[in-house]
Structures are given as structure tokens and as C-alpha cells.
Amino acid sequence: PLVHLPLLDVQGGTNLIPVAARAWSVSPDQRTLTFHLRPGLKFSSGRTVVASDYVYSIERVVNPKTGSMFGSYVKTIRGAAAFIDGRTNRLAGLSAPTPDFFVVELEQPDPTIPYVLASAPGIALPREEIERGEAAFGMRPVGSGQFVVARWTRGKEVVFQPNPEYSGPAPRYLDAVEVLIGGDDT
């Protein structure tokens, strides 16, 4: 993950390992997932990542107003239907009892949810940065991953430089990443 660290990652096709979480577990009835967050994880802004950032991020994914393509993947979270229908302003199955402890409760067992949390729905987003302006956040996202967007020229390139606040589990091997976009007529 360049800009964002997900709670989990998938290795070897199906093996889930903790990334932003230092540990995680599933209850015997397969309806409650608990995540203990890695200490010291920070956004590129310097703010510490806390469990409520995951609550905010997943509620954003489920909220039909954001139009997230991942919204349907997390509909088994307890209270998702009421949240989507606007009958409540929070997703009942998400909680952050402490800054480093995040809980996901499901309506019924769903073996895909841990894998979903290894992708975009499982990243922490800083509410204050998004509320400053989603367009700006889209071009200069603030994440807890190894890199930050240094330059983005639409249709041409995206250049990533090291995130000075990165403290995730994997070492950084590259000094920069350049992604060339598009091509010529040939």
C-alpha cells in the first residue's frame, strides 16, 4: 500500500495478516471482528491514527451519498440497512471503545468481510482532511502508508515520495515511485 495501510493484507492468495492492526480475531459465532491497532501509526499529516478513524471510513463507504463502489461489500455490518435508509446517522455495528481498539459486528456470519477490510474499506481516513475539501483530498490524500503524493499531473504521471510519518510494519525499500499514465497513439 503506497498511501494507505489497510487493517489487514492478503498473502499467498488467502492468508490474512495484520498490517495497521497489530492483532485481530473473530468471535466463535463468526459475527464479531476485533482489531487491536498498531501503536504509533500516524497519518502523513502527523496525527495519530485512532480506531474512530476506521468507524468514520467505513461509514463513508456505506453511505449512499459517497457513491462508493465498496458499499455493497460491507452491508452485512449490523445496522447497515437502517444507516443506508437514513433511519440512523451511525452504523450500529461499528465501535471504537478505545483509541487502539476497533470492533465490527455483523448481522450474520460473512467470511468475506476480513478480505474486504484488506482493501479500500479497511483503511483509516482522517475526517478533518476530507472535510477541508474532498477534491483536494483526492489529489493529495493523507494516509498512513509508506508514501505521499508529491506530484500528480492528470493524464501524465503520479509521483510518490516517502511519508516522513510512516511507522508501519514493512520496511520501505524505495526512495520514490513514479507511475506514468496514458501513452501515445502507438
Side-chain angles (χ1 to χ4, degrees), residues 6 11 13 39 56 69-71 82-83 106 115 121 134 145 148 151 161-162 166 174 179:
Q11 284 187 341
Y56 170 73
M69 64 184 207
F70 293 101
F83 182 78
L106 306 174
Y115 294 94
E134 283 202 55
V148 297
R151 184 174 65 249
Q161 67 185 27
Y166 177 71
L174 304 172
V179 178

Side-chain angles (χ1 to χ4, degrees), residues 2 146-151 157-163 172-179:
L2 289 175
Q146 295 184 12
F147 294 90
V148 297
V149 175
R151 184 174 65 249
E157 68 177 352
V158 182
V159 177
F160 299 91
Q161 67 185 27
N163 174 359
R172 184 174 39 236
Y173 296 110
L174 304 172
D175 294 329
V177 176
E178 294 182 33
V179 178

Side-chain angles (χ1 to χ4, degrees), residues 29-33 55 58-59 62 71 73-85 87-97 102-110 113 117:
D29 69 359
Q30 304 292 305
R31 292 179 53 188
T32 304
L33 291 82
V55 172
I58 294 173
E59 284 182 345
V62 175
Y73 298 167
V74 290
K75 284 186 177 178
T76 56
I77 294 174
R78 187 171 63 80
F83 182 78
I84 291 167
D85 293 344
R87 291 180 277 144
T88 182
N89 64 355
R90 64 175 299 273
L91 201 45
L94 300 177
S95 63
F102 174 58
V103 180
V104 178
E105 297 174 70
L106 306 174
E107 297 279 356
Q108 73 252 351
D110 181 353
I113 285 290
L117 296 177

Side-chain angles (χ1 to χ4, degrees), residues 10-182:
V10 181
Q11 284 187 341
T14 59
N15 185 33
L16 289 161
I17 60 166
V19 180
R22 68 176 164 77
W24 71 290
S25 62
V26 179
S27 64
D29 69 359
Q30 304 292 305
R31 292 179 53 188
T32 304
L33 291 82
T34 57
F35 298 91
H36 297 273
L37 301 183
R38 187 173 296 283
L41 218 90
K42 291 186 177 189
F43 289 113
S44 57
S45 64
R47 181 172 72 74
T48 300
V49 175
V50 293
S52 60
D53 294 319
Y54 290 95
V55 172
Y56 170 73
S57 299
I58 294 173
E59 284 182 345
R60 231 177 140 261
V61 166
V62 175
N63 189 333
K65 292 178 185 172
T66 62
S68 172
M69 64 184 207
F70 293 101
S72 64
Y73 298 167
V74 290
K75 284 186 177 178
T76 56
I77 294 174
R78 187 171 63 80
F83 182 78
I84 291 167
D85 293 344
R87 291 180 277 144
T88 182
N89 64 355
R90 64 175 299 273
L91 201 45
L94 300 177
S95 63
T98 66
D100 65 340
F101 187 63
F102 174 58
V103 180
V104 178
E105 297 174 70
L106 306 174
E107 297 279 356
Q108 73 252 351
D110 181 353
T112 67
I113 285 290
Y115 294 94
V116 170
L117 296 177
S119 64
I123 64 170
L125 295 174
R127 177 191 302 256
E128 68 278 7
E129 298 291 339
I130 291 172
E131 289 178 351
R132 270 186 220 160
E134 283 202 55
F137 187 82
M139 293 295 289
R140 296 271 187 195
V142 174
S144 57
Q146 295 184 12
F147 294 90
V148 297
V149 175
R151 184 174 65 249
W152 187 345
T153 307
R154 285 198 179 270
K156 184 178 177 192
E157 68 177 352
V158 182
V159 177
F160 299 91
Q161 67 185 27
N163 174 359
E165 300 293 339
Y166 177 71
S167 63
R172 184 174 39 236
Y173 296 110
L174 304 172
D175 294 329
V177 176
E178 294 182 33
V179 178
L180 301 177
I181 303 168

